[in-house]
Amino acid sequence: AAMVKETIRVFARVKPLGRRQQAGSYSVDNEEPLPSLEITVPRDLADGFINNKRESYKFKFQKIFDQEAKQDVIFDSIAKPVAECVLAGYNGTIFAYGQTGSGKTFTITGGAERYSDRGIIPRTLSYIFDQLQKDSSKVYTTHVSYLEIYNECGYDLLDPRHEASRMEDLPKVTIMEDSDQNIHLKNLSLQQATNEEEALNLLFLGDTNRMIAETPMNQASSRSHCIFTIHISSKEPGSATIRRSKLHLVDLAGSERVAKTGIGGHLLTEAKYINLSLHYLEQVIIALAEKNRSHIPYRNSMMTSVLRDSLGGNCMTTMISTLAMDKGNIDESISTCRFAQRVALIKNEAVLNEEIDPRLMIVQLRKEIQDLKDELALVTGKQRTSELSQEELLQLDDLIDTFLKDNDPDSSLDVGADMRKIKYCFVHMKQIINHPMTSGQKLLSQDISEEKNSNEELEKLKGLLQQRDNEINILVTMLKKEKKKARDALSQLNATSAASTVLEQSPSMSLEESQSPSRCFSLKEAKDFSSSIPRLPLLSRTTGGKMSLGCQEAFEVFKRGHADSITIEDNKQLLKQRFDEAKCLGEKLNEVRNKINHLKGKIIQRQIQRAALAVSNPSEELTFDAVEENLRMQIEEEKKSYKTVYSRFKGLKVEIEHLQLLMEKVKMKLQKDFEVWWSEEAKKFQQKKPEMVTSPNTATVYPQFIRSLQHLSPNSSSDTSRDSLYEEPAVKNNSITFGNRTLKTRTPPSSSTSIPLTGDSQADADILAFIKARQNILQKKG
């Protein structure tokens, strides 16, 4: 695998001065190859007498960002190159080092208020997911983890099970080492993030957990390290290699020290650390920078164990030193720079992290072995010298024949690695080319096949005609059933009111009442009839959408009466509600997120105020701050509602997808039911003789189909029709009822043209009336 050797890249960033701060004296020289930062310190002597000799310190960095540097520039220069390496399969680490208040968290995570203040983590996530979307050549999976280390204990900030109000409530993360000396973190949850939104949501929850866990009495933020890790694995389809890489984004604890005062003056001595794990980090770095050290004390602290690969290991590492350059902090800044100079000496060797998927490998090797065997047989000339048998020759003739007839340009003639067969094929092909018409046999066969073709064509047309007849017959039967129903309704009406009553039309069928037996109507009418029917959008998938027009017409009627189509309608309504709800929730999420960010901002301001107060009034002890505690409680509340809204939002997403799936299922079932029914009907008509079709009591259509048409009569509601539909359990199972759903009753609108049901006209008239009514409805719909 490829290896990249390079030293840790070290950058410096100077924090803008506060309002009341006096600037220390420093200058930035961004000359190539290595820019330098010079800091000048006046020497205060112990007797109060100022000596004008100034001491100046010069430090070299990869690049120095002065006070006005913006977040996007920082990302482009520092984080983007590391992110690119991680996408290519190398490990990467970016860590910020500096005293409390020098801008580490702002650089790594960003400010809460403005969008442009986003730090390295959110920008990196954004960049990575952007790149992954663009690259369709591989399959990627991404996970994130968020670890906080405080007092040598690790805590999982992304634990989904706990609602932490104190840091101690978070799950403890412990370190395990395997036989190959690899570090494993036990209890640290890896959360999958399929897109930028999910990843940012996890970061947001982790930061909020961290904020809540810091109690005002124990300002943990400056004493704890936070490591946000993005894990990426990628695989090309069909390839056996998997690449796994991880990117650590580390916000270290504050590096301020306790200074010792020497007699001869205020000496800058590296004193003992407040923070033990930073002390160990420095020891590791000193050990790494020394050429002949064999033992590196990684195991001394949790921090150095977790970052073992990042320091002197398999990783591309970058450090950002954050510096506060006001007069009071100059000493600290010099210490930070000195530390950075040591870090810059460390060499890392980053290796491409690839592993092999064994199952795929086996498949590939098997194929390769077979290919090699064939090749070997060709090369060594281990050819069978015996003649080919008659059977083999015939088989070859067949193969050649199929090969020549196949119009596909990609088709190949494959006879294996047998020289005898290959030679025979060439000879045979040559004959075919040189003597295409052997003894006129071919010509004769051509004539015969042409005649055969025309006969087939005729048969086909006959079949088609028969099918059309069947369709017409089924439709006529359907019409009859409608008529009979209408007649029954009329006789009831006549009993109650005058005979001139006009029956309201139902939108599906309306016809003149007529007692005459129906005759098959002429082909011309059949043509008109079929042309009046539009192509339906919901065509059968199983028949590849090749439903004939008559069939479509019947399907429309069938569909209208089927319980499943009611289910489909209800699901549509439900889906619409769910989409609206999801939209509302999305807006709500943003609202709560902004609220929490606002509260975070308030807490930070409050902390700054209190810190300032403590400086100006040192006698005041830092006591419990009720205001801040109150703000924390508010964040706690908001976070709870954020979590519930987010999980509801995710749940909705799942529900919406589920509903869409259900609708698909019901549609498919509806089509299948119809196909079964339709083929049954067609069979019946094929068995009957045409004369019988004209008799009034034609083949009875499926009883449940007639029943399903009942709800088309104006006064019956779909409630009753749903109950009276299929009694089979299958339908009951498939129509899913949600809580308190109300079924809408569908009363069909009365059509403008209503036909009095009198007279004894011909069946042709029925059908024409039906066609007209159908056209009216279609026009209205259109």
Side-chain angles (χ1 to χ4, degrees), residues 541 663-673:
R541 288 208 182 83
M663 276 175 73
E664 277 305 299
K665 264 194 190 154
V666 177
K667 279 181 188 171
M668 297 295 278
K669 181 173 173 298
L670 183 60
Q671 286 166 3
K672 282 208 180 79
D673 287 353

Side-chain angles (χ1 to χ4, degrees), residues 558-594:
F558 182 84
K559 188 173 84 177
R560 211 175 288 126
H562 200 293
D564 288 347
S565 69
I566 300 166
T567 310
I568 291 176
E569 275 305 312
D570 289 338
N571 277 356
K572 267 190 197 159
Q573 288 298 323
L574 214 76
L575 261 177
K576 190 178 174 316
Q577 283 171 17
R578 291 291 176 272
F579 275 127
D580 293 347
E581 198 178 337
K583 201 170 144 197
C584 287
L585 284 175
E587 286 163 8
K588 211 170 185 178
L589 273 182
N590 281 337
E591 213 175 283
V592 179
R593 195 177 266 171
N594 291 339

